[in-house]
Amino acid sequence: MALCGAKKDGRELKIYENTDELSTDLADYIAELSENSVKERGVFAIALSGGSLISLMGKLCEAPYNKTVDWAKWYIFWADERVVAKSHADSNYKLAKDGILSKVPVIPSHVHSINDTVSAEKAAEDYEFVIRQLVRTRVINVSDICDCPKFDLILLGMGPDGHVASLFPGHSVLDEKEQWVTFITDSPKPPPERITFTLPVINSASNVAVVVTGGSKADAVHLVVDDVEPDHPSLPSKLVQPTKGNLVWFLDKAAASKLDGTKFSE
């Protein structure tokens, strides 16, 4: 159970004593969204990121979720991916496959990874094409206020620098408004070549969850959630503001430790 939950500037904050409690609640949250989406649309279109997020989703592979979630209705995408071979240690696809997808009965043809045999630019183009095809058939919903895809859930982590997906502070791709998927070749953290959803796609989702753990992220959480230095160039995670969707931040106690007014009893 969350130590506390609050709404702040359109964000729902859920703060947990430890990562184990966070993981349990995160699994509940994803399973409930999956159930609701399958009831409403017949499918569940989810976009993942990499990093610690995948291990924090691990309880989905355990009872009861491994049996109760309608895995055959899941369509799985990546909000960002490193342009490396799918077997490479840096691949977000490999991380998710090893950590979750190989342990639950998802349908392989519903797992949409990038083309790992082409350049970053071509991989981004190809990935956007795949998503456009699935928007046409409404496997992925479409936003009712723009032509962007409306994913049922986009799951994001956040780096100590405030980056989400592969949208890094000060990078020109933060201003991309036309493309759904773009690419970078100069990531400040390796590997340098990546594809990423753009902010309009992230902000068109029905649900966005930002999952952050550890004290190394506490300063960035404070800057974003407490809106410190509003005139300062925005951190990418601050720009995650779904237009009509729901935004939830899952934080452990360490990541939330510098939030204004957050005091925990020992």
Side-chain angles (χ1 to χ4, degrees), residues 86-109:
K86 289 185 179 73
S87 57
H88 194 284
D90 287 333
S91 166
N92 286 342
Y93 165 81
K94 176 177 167 53
L95 186 67
K97 183 184 178 189
D98 293 349
I100 298 171
L101 303 181
S102 62
K103 300 175 182 178
V104 292
V106 294
I107 295 175
S109 63

Side-chain angles (χ1 to χ4, degrees), residues 64 73 76 90 101 104 121 123 147-148 160-161 165 184 188 190 196:
K73 300 292 177 29
I76 299 150
D90 287 333
L101 303 181
V104 292
E121 182 174 14
D147 79 334
C148 278
D161 60 353
I184 62 173
T196 184

Side-chain angles (χ1 to χ4, degrees), residues 11 158 219-227 235 237-238 249:
R11 300 177 186 90
M158 184 188 74
D219 284 326
V221 169
H222 169 56
L223 285 171
V224 173
V225 175
D226 292 326
D227 200 22
L235 296 179
S237 47
K238 198 175 189 175
W249 282 60

Side-chain angles (χ1 to χ4, degrees), residues 65-86:
Y65 311 106
N66 58 347
K67 298 284 194 259
T68 58
V69 169
D70 194 349
W71 296 104
K73 300 292 177 29
W74 278 41
Y75 285 76
I76 299 150
F77 304 84
W78 276 264
D80 75 311
E81 179 58 286
R82 291 85 179 271
V83 183
V84 294
K86 289 185 179 73

